[in-house]
Amino acid sequence: HLVEVGDYKSASSSFKEILGTNAGLWEKWISILEKAGQLRWVVSYLPTGPAFILSMHTYKVVLSYLIKTDHHAFVHCLKTWQPSLYSTHDMIQEVQQRRSTLKPPAKQSGVEASDPYTSLSLALATLYEHEQQYARALKLYLELNRSDVFDFIQRHSLFDAVADKVMAFMDLNRDRTLQ
């Protein structure tokens, strides 16, 4: 009834209780919400394991919707969902295609940009990290002037890979570079 009256938010919040672990019902309702252009409401209620997960196709449908409608939610899902829920390879291709249609923003120092190009660059870096393509992720983090790039380098032992980029790091954070 809630879907019939357009209350997709309330309907989605009751899915876990009503649909339980019935993958067929989940996929039916996700398809209905997709056709109505209302998938954003179900994202935070989707089962993501470990006890119960949906098909990879279902997560791809949701991510493909988010890449077009809500870049922040898209990045959040990439960072919080297990990469095994979807094809990281397919998502890399989709992000690259979408990102290629956007114009990079003017450089902003010290400001966390929220434009689509920057959000998709962060998404692409996250996907590369999931694929263990650390050099590609590092390149994007540097382009984004991310202050957490130092933690990324340390976490993945990329010291040799950055030896020739010391000046770029000095511009980003002199103290952390010298450490």
Side-chain angles (χ1 to χ4, degrees):
H1 173 70
L2 293 171
V3 171
E4 291 172 3
V5 296
D7 190 357
Y8 300 101
K9 185 176 182 179
S10 295
S12 295
S13 70
S14 63
F15 280 0
K16 275 192 177 183
E17 183 181 331
I18 295 170
L19 305 179
T21 58
N22 186 323
L25 285 177
W26 273 100
E27 291 173 10
K28 172 188 171 190
W29 281 103
I30 287 169
S31 178
I32 289 168
L33 292 176
E34 178 189 20
K35 288 178 181 141
Q38 299 295 324
L39 275 176
R40 69 180 173 273
W41 302 114
V42 76
V43 172
S44 59
Y45 303 106
L46 282 175
T48 57
F52 175 62
I53 60 172
L54 303 171
S55 70
M56 287 180 86
H57 173 75
T58 301
Y59 296 104
K60 182 184 187 320
V61 165
V62 172
L63 290 172
S64 295
Y65 170 83
L66 292 175
I67 200 173
K68 296 173 194 143
T69 62
D70 188 340
H71 298 128
H72 293 293
F74 177 70
V75 171
H76 177 75
C77 289
L78 294 180
K79 288 184 172 288
T80 58
W81 292 358
Q82 291 297 316
S84 59
L85 295 176
Y86 54 91
S87 167
T88 53
H89 177 75
D90 289 351
M91 283 295 109
I92 286 171
Q93 290 182 327
E94 199 166 334
V95 171
Q96 286 173 329
Q97 188 281 321
R98 184 83 173 168
R99 186 173 165 257
S100 72
T101 66
L102 302 170
K103 183 179 175 188
K107 288 257 185 199
Q108 298 177 341
S109 66
V111 176
E112 185 72 26
S114 60
D115 63 280
Y117 185 89
T118 301
S119 294
L120 291 180
S121 295
L122 181 57
L124 189 55
T126 301
L127 288 163
Y128 283 147
E129 198 169 349
H130 290 329
E131 288 275 313
Q132 298 180 355
Q133 296 181 29
Y134 301 127
R136 286 182 167 180
L138 176 62
K139 182 177 184 230
L140 287 166
Y141 288 139
L142 285 173
E143 287 175 12
L144 295 172
N145 270 342
R146 303 267 313 178
S147 60
D148 58 353
V149 72
F150 296 99
D151 297 327
F152 176 80
I153 292 165
Q154 194 166 24
R155 187 170 55 250
H156 298 294
S157 300
L158 299 174
F159 303 108
D160 291 338
V162 299
D164 62 336
K165 296 173 180 57
V166 171
M167 293 311 292
F169 289 108
M170 292 291 273
D171 291 340
L172 188 59
N173 186 322
R174 179 178 167 78
D175 294 336
R176 287 293 306 264
T177 302
L178 295 174
Q179 288 178 355

